[in-house]
Amino acid sequence: MAEDNNSINPMEQALDDFDQVQVGDIVTTEVLSVEDGQLIVGIDNSGVEGVVPIKELTADRKANIHDIAKTGDRLELLVTRRSTSDKEDGSFILSKRRIENKKAYEQMAQLMAADQHVEGQVSGTVKSGLLVDVDGLRGFIPASMISDHFVRDLKAYVGKTLELKIVEVDPAKNRFVLSHREIAQAERQQQQAEIMAKILPGDIIEAKVSRLTNFGAFIDLGGMDGLVHVSQISYNHVDKPSDVLKPDQDVKVKVLDVDKEHGRVSLSIKAAQPGPWDTISEKIATGDEVEGTVKRLTDFGAFVEVLPGIEGLVHVSQISWNHIDKPSDVLSVGEKVQLKVLNVEPDKKRLGLSIKALVANPHAKKQDSDTEEKIDYTLPDEERGFSMGDIVQDEADN
């Protein structure tokens, strides 16, 4: 004879219902009440109640629980553990987020197996990388996997949406690791190919300084960097690029060379600016008295800098009224000298200078007016300025 259900002890029935619910079960529930900080829910077909803390409903710490759920709502929840405190109203603690995470992990594992990329928004930074949200699942991008080059400022990525490759999915360890490096590398290669195809030597480009080294400045051309060697930064001498440039500075550069085989672009900042010889006629004229610094000495004369990037030649015959065998006998590199401009030839980048023209000729004959004989400052054609042949021959002789 079958046992009468009415004869079952209520306590035994409650324990039986309780035993039907196990940690790890996914159960259907009804919201019985909404309180500040938690939901009280009834688990279907069990007669057992449970609690859902707000942190198990949403990752948004500023969220209002009354905006998330209301009495009578039906929720699918994961049983995470049995209640261990009298303060926890219910027999079990349940979670909505963990179900969503579990499904998200399963989906990400499938995408990783198919080698498909995902999109994620960077939500924050830690010392070793970036935190990113991918469809509600929190992932991590190690610093070495953010880009194809070293990233100094991680905070610059916060708020950005990135295309990502899935590297590791491990729900048991709560590990979800992603990488943007491969995507960044592919994007850079594409941008580089486009840039290399359209720029030509001689082009003038508006760009920004991306980074500085001791030997030059790298300039962002909009997807790849070109190099301005330290010697191409200014017509003035530059010891270190950081003395005159800074990262993110706007600059105008001229393309000197495009090496498509090696993916290199050589640039010049100074070549994109007017050269010192272009405006020399506005600054110096024949007959002017100027000060200069001796830069180089040769057997045929001294090269003296009178303006940044402007050197003129003091021929050995224009150094002194006395006979001189070698300029180095009376002049030294770095010495400051007073000069008179004999001739200016901007088109040939030549400047003739004289030291002795500012000094009275001790050998001049006295005239009736007891004034000194007027000096002709015009150099013979072969003594005006200098040529590369003069320099090469002089250095060969030395």
Side-chain angles (χ1 to χ4, degrees):
M1 180 176 177
E3 184 180 0
D4 185 355
N5 288 336
N6 292 329
S7 65
I8 298 177
N9 187 299
M11 180 63 69
E12 292 178 354
Q13 181 66 50
L15 289 174
D16 185 57
D17 291 341
F18 185 85
D19 289 339
Q20 290 179 17
V21 180
Q22 301 293 326
V23 173
D25 286 351
I26 294 177
V27 296
T28 302
T29 67
E30 180 180 349
V31 177
L32 303 178
S33 66
V34 181
E35 303 174 3
D36 291 337
Q38 66 181 19
L39 303 179
I40 305 300
V41 299
I43 302 174
D44 285 4
N45 304 317
S46 71
V48 176
E49 292 183 359
V51 176
V52 187
I54 189 171
K55 68 179 181 179
E56 296 295 346
L57 284 172
T58 177
D60 185 358
R61 296 183 179 182
K62 298 180 180 180
N64 185 330
I65 195 169
H66 296 279
D67 296 332
I68 301 173
K70 62 182 182 296
T71 301
D73 284 353
R74 299 190 64 77
L75 302 176
E76 187 179 50
L77 302 171
L78 174 71
V79 181
T80 62
R81 63 181 175 86
R82 295 178 184 272
S83 175
T84 58
S85 170
D86 292 338
K87 295 180 180 180
E88 296 175 338
D89 299 327
S91 302
F92 294 93
I93 306 301
L94 302 100
S95 173
K96 179 183 178 183
R97 283 183 60 196
R98 298 194 194 189
I99 286 186
E100 293 172 346
N101 281 358
K102 181 179 179 181
K103 291 179 179 179
Y105 271 118
E106 291 173 352
Q107 181 185 15
M108 293 305 149
Q110 292 173 359
L111 292 174
M112 182 176 70
D115 198 26
Q116 293 186 23
H117 294 169
V118 295
E119 282 192 349
Q121 184 175 43
V122 179
S123 58
T125 68
V126 292
K127 186 176 181 180
S128 54
L130 302 176
L131 300 177
V132 61
D133 179 77
V134 181
D135 293 335
L137 187 64
R138 190 172 78 164
F140 173 64
I141 308 174
S144 62
M145 296 184 182
I146 296 173
S147 181
D148 59 342
H149 61 271
F150 175 72
V151 175
R152 189 177 302 276
D153 183 13
L154 297 179
K155 292 182 179 179
Y157 282 84
V158 175
K160 290 186 176 181
T161 298
L162 303 176
E163 183 181 353
L164 301 165
K165 176 183 175 67
I166 302 172
V167 176
E168 181 182 355
V169 178
D170 189 344
K173 296 182 179 179
N174 199 29
R175 283 177 60 84
F176 181 37
V177 183
L178 305 112
S179 173
H180 182 63
R181 182 176 58 200
E182 294 81 356
I183 290 89
Q185 186 175 20
E187 290 175 349
R188 183 173 290 272
Q189 289 174 346
Q190 177 63 29
Q191 291 171 339
Q192 178 175 317
E194 293 174 357
I195 291 170
M196 297 290 282
K198 68 182 181 181
I199 64 171
L200 297 170
D203 286 351
I204 302 295
I205 301 172
E206 299 279 353
K208 284 184 179 292
V209 176
S210 61
R211 55 196 174 95
L212 300 171
T213 68
N214 289 332
F215 58 84
F218 285 94
I219 309 299
D220 184 1
L221 299 177
M224 70 171 292
D225 286 346
L227 174 64
V228 176
H229 190 267
V230 64
S231 64
Q232 291 295 324
I233 292 176
S234 173
Y235 287 105
N236 299 330
H237 175 72
V238 175
D239 286 324
K240 294 187 301 181
S242 57
D243 291 339
V244 293
L245 296 173
K246 58 184 179 181
D248 294 327
Q249 180 177 338
D250 292 321
V251 291
K252 183 183 291 185
V253 294
K254 183 174 183 177
V255 180
L256 299 181
D257 182 61
V258 179
D259 184 349
K260 295 184 178 181
E261 181 179 354
H262 297 97
R264 298 171 185 167
V265 178
S266 299
L267 306 167
S268 174
I269 293 176
K270 73 179 185 181
Q273 303 169 346
W277 286 96
D278 295 337
T279 57
I280 186 66
S281 297
E282 301 171 9
K283 301 173 182 176
I284 294 179
T286 300
D288 286 353
E289 295 182 13
V290 296
E291 182 180 73
T293 303
V294 177
K295 291 295 185 180
R296 292 174 290 138
L297 296 171
T298 70
D299 285 346
F300 61 84
F303 289 95
V304 181
E305 184 180 61
V306 296
L307 289 171
I310 298 292
E311 288 185 8
L313 173 66
V314 180
H315 192 271
V316 65
S317 65
Q318 290 296 321
I319 294 176
S320 173
W321 290 106
N322 299 321
H323 174 73
I324 295 176
D325 289 326
K326 292 189 301 181
S328 58
D329 291 339
V330 294
L331 295 174
S332 58
V333 173
E335 181 180 351
K336 299 285 186 181
V337 291
Q338 298 299 314
L339 308 143
K340 187 159 188 174
V341 179
L342 301 181
N343 61 294
V344 183
E345 299 178 78
D347 55 333
K348 297 180 180 179
K349 296 184 179 180
R350 298 203 303 187
L351 184 65
L353 304 168
S354 175
I355 295 174
K356 76 176 187 180
L358 296 179
V359 180
N361 183 359
H363 310 298
K365 295 180 179 179
K366 295 288 185 178
Q367 306 214 353
D368 292 341
S369 61
D370 202 34
T371 59
E372 293 188 358
E373 181 182 4
K374 184 178 179 181
I375 302 171
D376 182 3
Y377 297 127
T378 303
L379 292 174
D381 287 342
E382 67 271 21
E383 293 184 348
R384 288 186 180 177
F386 57 91
S387 68
M388 287 304 296
D390 296 328
I391 300 172
V392 171
Q393 184 59 48
D394 180 71
E395 293 182 349
D397 293 341
N398 290 335

